[in-house]
Amino acid sequence: MGNRTTTVREVIGRSPRGGSAATWSGLAVCALALTGLVANALPVPTDPGPVRAGAAAEPDPYCSPGSDAADTAARAAHTRVADPGADAAEGVEVTPEQAAEYEDQLREALVPLRGHELAPPYTVPVVVHVISAEDGRGDVSDRRIQEQVDVLDQAYRGEYALGSEGTDTGFRFELADVTRNADDAWFRDFNRYRDTIRSRLRQGGPETLNIYTTELESGLLGYSTFPQDYPDKPSQDGVVIAHDTLPGGERDRFNEGHTGTHEVGHWLGLFHTFQNGCRSPGDYVDDTPYEREAAAGCPKGRDSCPDLPGEDPVTNFMNYSDDACMTHFTQGQTRRMIEHWVAFRGGDARV
Ligand SMILES: [Zn+2]
């Protein structure tokens, strides 16, 4: 069963374009650093530590629930997860063992690429598959789809970052195609039919981002496959997001498009910032502080691993915070996404 965050959250005000921390020179430095990283691959962690739940199963102590129990129930449970897999009816979190296996696969895939020069930016073609009801529910407009792709592009350019916290990841997103599929069964129960849907609709190779918009069960915002999954299941590769999470959608607090931003982070190889909780190796990224559990709302200043450096990365795109709270990817996450791109998606043609 999936772990779900059950909280009442408050939206904080924020300018969605509070300033760009991204510069081309920063990106170039990153590319050089990455070349070094590929040439000197990090040691493969052999002991990810004991199993612990990576997500918040209990209410967040920093977001005290409202006094109205009915309101609390109505607002319960929003998750953005990795692919639930063929047998799961809903999203599940990545276990420490699975994360370690993905890491092993990444390091192995990078070995033959040692010494190659990496050269972002990488332009990702995006194909959006709209799964809607026959009465039109979920039939998101072309304009809203373009806005979602624009949010992706801006987020990965670092344009939501505040001050110097974020980075230009070097990834660019361009809408290549939209398919529309009105089918009540598919719309009502996407997860039941998802393997068939994705096999029929998916376009392109490993470099093509296929996004499926549909209705998801209550509380589930979206999920994604990882790059390492592609060789075994190329037809299943992609991101699924609830249609009402697109920019301007009806989903309260999650309608600025950052469910898409978050899920594409998984699609490019990132774990949640709270992966492995306070235990090494965390999310396998050096510059995202450890975090015991998912954030909910926007609990800035929270420090759930007080014995370890840094406050929780509450405003990171790979957390569970409200859309308005999420602002950036770090340099370390950027490096990790580029590694995954080169190893599994872009291929030798891009290096
Ligand atoms: Zn997630």
Side-chain angles (χ1 to χ4, degrees), residues 145-317:
I145 290 168
Q146 185 60 57
E147 288 173 353
Q148 175 66 73
V149 175
D150 290 345
V151 166
L152 283 179
D153 196 69
Q154 291 161 11
Y156 282 80
R157 287 175 187 268
E159 293 184 5
Y160 290 91
L162 303 173
S164 59
E165 66 183 358
T167 185
D168 181 347
T169 68
F171 288 97
R172 308 289 181 256
F173 297 86
E174 289 184 358
L175 184 61
D177 197 10
V178 177
T179 75
R180 294 186 180 276
N181 308 269
D183 185 306
D184 284 344
W186 285 11
F187 181 71
R188 194 172 51 236
D189 200 359
F190 181 89
N191 285 339
R192 178 177 174 186
Y193 298 103
R194 66 170 178 250
D195 291 1
T196 299
I197 295 169
R198 294 191 294 204
S199 293
R200 288 190 192 172
L201 300 182
R202 194 185 186 289
Q203 296 182 22
E207 78 295 335
T208 299
L209 171 62
N210 282 252
I211 298 178
Y212 302 83
T213 70
T214 186
E215 184 160 270
L216 293 175
E217 60 200 273
S218 177
L220 183 59
L221 296 170
Y223 55 85
S224 174
T225 57
F226 284 103
Q228 289 88 328
D229 300 328
Y230 186 87
D232 285 343
K233 295 182 178 178
S235 69
Q236 299 302 309
D237 180 71
V239 161
V240 181
I241 55 178
H243 65 86
D244 53 1
T245 69
L246 268 60
E250 296 77 33
R251 185 70 68 112
D252 186 29
R253 298 174 298 139
F254 298 96
N255 59 356
E256 296 184 22
H258 289 324
T259 292
T261 305
H262 174 107
E263 298 303 339
V264 172
H266 289 313
W267 187 79
L268 290 169
L270 296 183
F271 296 127
H272 292 137
T273 49
F274 48 89
Q275 179 71 42
N276 287 313
C278 300
R279 291 187 178 275
S280 176
D283 62 355
Y284 295 85
V285 173
D286 289 340
D287 58 0
T288 52
Y290 284 89
E291 185 177 39
R292 184 173 301 279
E293 60 197 13
C298 195
K300 286 184 180 176
R302 190 177 81 162
D303 188 2
S304 61
C305 300
D307 296 334
L308 296 168
E311 296 178 344
D312 293 356
V314 167
T315 59
N316 193 282
F317 283 127

